[in-house]
Amino acid sequence: MEPKEPKAPVPVPCHALRVVRVLLRIGQGEAGLRLGRLSLFREVETGRAKVIGRRRYQELAGSLNPPPGVIEIVYGLTEAVSGFEQADPWISPPMALVIEGALVDVLGELRYDLVAEARAARFAAEREEAEHLWQILAACDPERRPLVAARPMFWTWGLAERLCQESLAAAPHDPAACRALAELALEVASNVTGPERFLDFLAAFCWAHLGNAQRVQGDLEAADAAFAEVERLLPAVEEGEVIPLDLTRIPNLKASLRRNQRRFAEALACLESIDVSGDLVLSARVAVQTAGIYQQAGNFEAAIATLREALPLVDAGTDDRLRCVTRFNLAANLIYLDRVAEMEALMPEVRALAFAQNHDVDMLRLEWLEAILAAAHGRRTEAIEALADILDRFHRRKMSFDAALAALELSALLLEAGRPAEAARRLAGVLPTFHAHKARREELASLWLFLQAIERQVATAALARAAAVAWRSFGVEAV
């Protein structure tokens, strides 16, 4: 058998055209269709067509709409590699291989950048479509669920993500809507098709938001079950893997649940697991959440120090709500330490920011803060009336845990005002709520001791405050 003649090298313009097409992940047929000739690119790239020059290469490559600079970069690198392949006599073969390998690495980096750019453009387009779908659904309340179930056009990961964002936005002022939106996001996610691994990420993301919504409503048992489902579903992110979802939200939301469950070490561990490097907004949010955990644990000094450290981060960003939350919670911690003058200096800014946000539940908490301030100035009757009204409004919103905390604060004021029977009634009415939130034994004991002391008419204001301090978690959510 006669040896085959070696293949003639493919001309540089033809080879470069193929490189551009492959970098952009466009098939030969698809590329040809753009110019009305299906086999054009196949013939040119293999050199079977009439040899093209650099100008024709530029025209054909330009029809693929590559990013700026790609056409000339690829041509130059391809030309260089082709030159090395011809084994110029002044370059040793090993050196030629080294240089060629380096150039191929450059092309690989270029491809990585192009793929990243194309991926980002695709994610942006899918989010733009999700925004359009959300606008349709926003106008259809309360008929959203039947519409989503009947129309596959709504079954996109982008819409599931968008509904989760709306759920978080609703949490401060409408806990029921917060939950309904998270449930709808999970329903959308259950219908999305795609790689199984990504679908697990999406489901875990939506379950985390449902767990957060259940927490906001005070249903901590359901929220705990939701986060158990998150842990079951959530894969570990592999090196180089790109997921369009903000996965930092999952430990972020879990930390809020663990805080409300008074599992403070676990809550802090959740926040410490978040990589905040280079992200100003995330750094600020994590700092404010950390302060919230210190506050609920009764370490008001640490909460104040953390909030003061967070202020420059918060003010450097554009999140108006986070600015409000930081100052609001700083004021609350200051009043808990009877640093009334420092707290009052903050109040004009707190009020202005809260009114600008105008979230119903946040405004209710602002009234609570004003009531505590009134009590600090000796206006006890005014504070009692305000807290009684606030407690009733939390009950009407089915926010049982917030109502229980308000009742505890109210019962302490009632005792100080010489109204022990009413204080006992208020406290007895919320003990089941603290039980339902799986309070630690010593914390429940402080409440029982307080209640028994009232009933024996030996309760003191100091005992009332000791019970209240164990539970003081009043503040505004950073999430």
Side-chain angles (χ1 to χ4, degrees):
M1 179 182 290
E2 294 183 5
K4 293 182 180 179
E5 292 186 12
K7 284 185 176 181
V10 176
V12 168
C14 302
H15 192 184
L17 183 64
R18 180 179 182 279
V19 172
V20 172
R21 181 184 58 75
V22 171
L23 284 171
L24 297 175
R25 295 190 172 182
I26 299 173
Q28 286 180 329
E30 180 187 346
L33 282 174
R34 297 188 184 193
L35 296 172
R37 184 175 162 190
L38 188 63
S39 63
L40 174 62
F41 276 75
R42 183 169 62 252
E43 293 171 0
V44 170
E45 291 175 16
T46 58
R48 291 202 299 267
K50 180 181 177 181
V51 175
I52 65 171
R54 185 163 184 168
R55 181 171 296 180
R56 181 60 172 156
Y57 155 76
Q58 291 170 335
E59 293 172 358
L60 293 174
S63 72
L64 303 178
N65 297 317
V70 167
I71 292 175
E72 293 307 320
I73 291 172
V74 169
Y75 192 92
L77 292 174
T78 306
E79 190 174 45
V81 171
S82 177
F84 296 134
E85 287 174 347
Q86 293 172 17
D88 289 347
W90 57 274
I91 297 179
S92 66
M95 180 58 69
L97 287 174
V98 170
I99 296 173
E100 183 174 340
L103 291 173
V104 169
D105 287 343
V106 171
L107 284 172
E109 289 294 326
L110 178 60
R111 175 174 182 168
Y112 180 85
D113 291 343
L114 289 173
V115 169
E117 186 175 320
R119 185 193 299 120
R122 186 174 74 252
F123 291 163
E126 289 169 344
R127 286 192 169 99
E128 187 176 345
E129 178 193 12
E131 182 61 33
H132 172 68
L133 294 172
W134 163 244
Q135 294 304 324
I136 295 173
L137 290 179
C140 294
D141 190 35
E143 303 300 323
R144 292 172 186 164
R145 296 191 77 158
L147 185 60
V148 165
R151 300 288 182 87
M153 63 183 281
F154 292 106
W155 302 346
T156 73
W157 73 264
L159 180 60
E161 178 192 56
R162 187 70 180 83
L163 289 166
C164 286
Q165 292 170 353
E166 287 296 320
S167 175
L168 288 179
H173 60 90
D174 194 340
C178 172
R179 184 166 183 164
L181 287 160
E183 289 172 344
L184 188 58
L186 193 57
E187 186 170 331
V188 168
S190 70
N191 287 299
V192 175
T193 57
E196 184 176 351
R197 183 174 172 81
F198 173 69
L199 296 181
D200 285 344
F201 277 113
L202 181 61
F205 185 79
C206 294
W207 271 108
H209 284 77
L210 178 57
N212 181 66
Q214 291 163 333
R215 175 194 65 81
V216 168
Q217 284 194 315
D219 191 351
L220 298 195
E221 189 170 349
D224 202 47
F227 275 94
E229 187 67 8
V230 171
E231 291 174 11
R232 185 185 72 80
L233 289 166
L234 188 64
V237 179
E238 297 176 352
E239 185 177 356
E241 188 173 21
V242 178
I243 304 297
L245 306 166
D246 180 6
L247 297 179
T248 65
R249 277 295 183 188
I250 293 177
N252 186 260
L253 297 174
K254 186 177 179 180
S256 293
L257 172 62
R258 295 294 181 248
R259 182 200 64 206
N260 280 24
Q261 291 173 315
R262 307 183 72 74
R263 293 158 61 174
F264 301 125
E266 292 176 55
L268 289 171
C270 287
L271 296 181
E272 288 166 1
S273 73
I274 300 173
D275 181 7
V276 301
S277 54
D279 191 325
L280 188 67
V281 173
L282 184 58
S283 298
R285 191 168 69 226
V286 167
V288 175
Q289 272 194 284
T290 300
I293 294 168
Y294 288 141
Q295 176 182 335
Q296 206 159 19
N299 191 345
F300 305 127
E301 291 283 5
I304 289 168
T306 304
L307 288 167
R308 290 201 188 281
E309 288 175 7
L311 276 173
L313 295 174
V314 170
D315 290 344
T318 59
D319 191 330
D320 290 337
R321 173 163 173 75
L322 202 55
R323 274 196 283 271
C324 177
V325 167
T326 307
R327 287 164 172 79
F328 192 108
N329 291 348
L330 181 55
N333 280 281
L334 287 168
I335 195 69
Y336 288 159
L337 292 178
D338 294 322
R339 290 159 64 173
V340 179
E342 291 177 70
M343 183 264 202
E344 282 191 298
L346 271 177
M347 285 307 293
E349 198 172 4
V350 170
R351 292 185 189 103
L353 288 166
F355 276 104
Q357 293 290 299
N358 198 30
H359 289 157
D360 292 347
V361 174
D362 284 356
M363 295 304 294
L364 193 52
R365 291 194 171 102
L366 178 62
E367 292 181 40
W368 188 343
L369 193 59
E370 300 277 17
I372 295 173
L373 181 59
H377 281 298
R379 302 196 305 273
R380 190 180 296 126
T381 301
E382 176 187 334
I384 288 172
E385 291 175 356
L387 278 171
D389 180 56
I390 289 164
L391 188 157
D392 291 340
R393 285 152 68 192
F394 273 131
H395 272 309
R396 288 199 295 272
R397 286 181 171 274
K398 302 188 186 312
M399 297 176 68
S400 58
F401 189 63
D402 291 273
L405 293 173
L408 185 55
E409 195 81 48
L410 176 59
S411 63
L413 287 174
L414 288 168
L415 183 62
E416 289 175 348
R419 296 157 65 178
E422 190 176 352
R425 180 176 61 81
R426 292 286 190 180
L427 185 59
V430 298
L431 277 174
T433 298
F434 290 113
H435 270 294
H437 280 68
K438 302 187 185 307
R440 294 198 302 265
R441 183 175 299 176
E442 62 271 21
E443 291 168 336
L444 283 173
S446 70
L447 297 176
W448 278 111
L449 286 172
F450 181 29
L451 181 58
Q452 290 169 1
I454 293 174
E455 291 172 345
R456 294 198 309 271
Q457 297 186 350
V458 294
T460 65
L463 183 59
R465 290 298 165 207
V469 162
W471 285 93
R472 267 183 159 160
S473 60
F474 161 62
V476 179
E477 290 278 9
V479 178

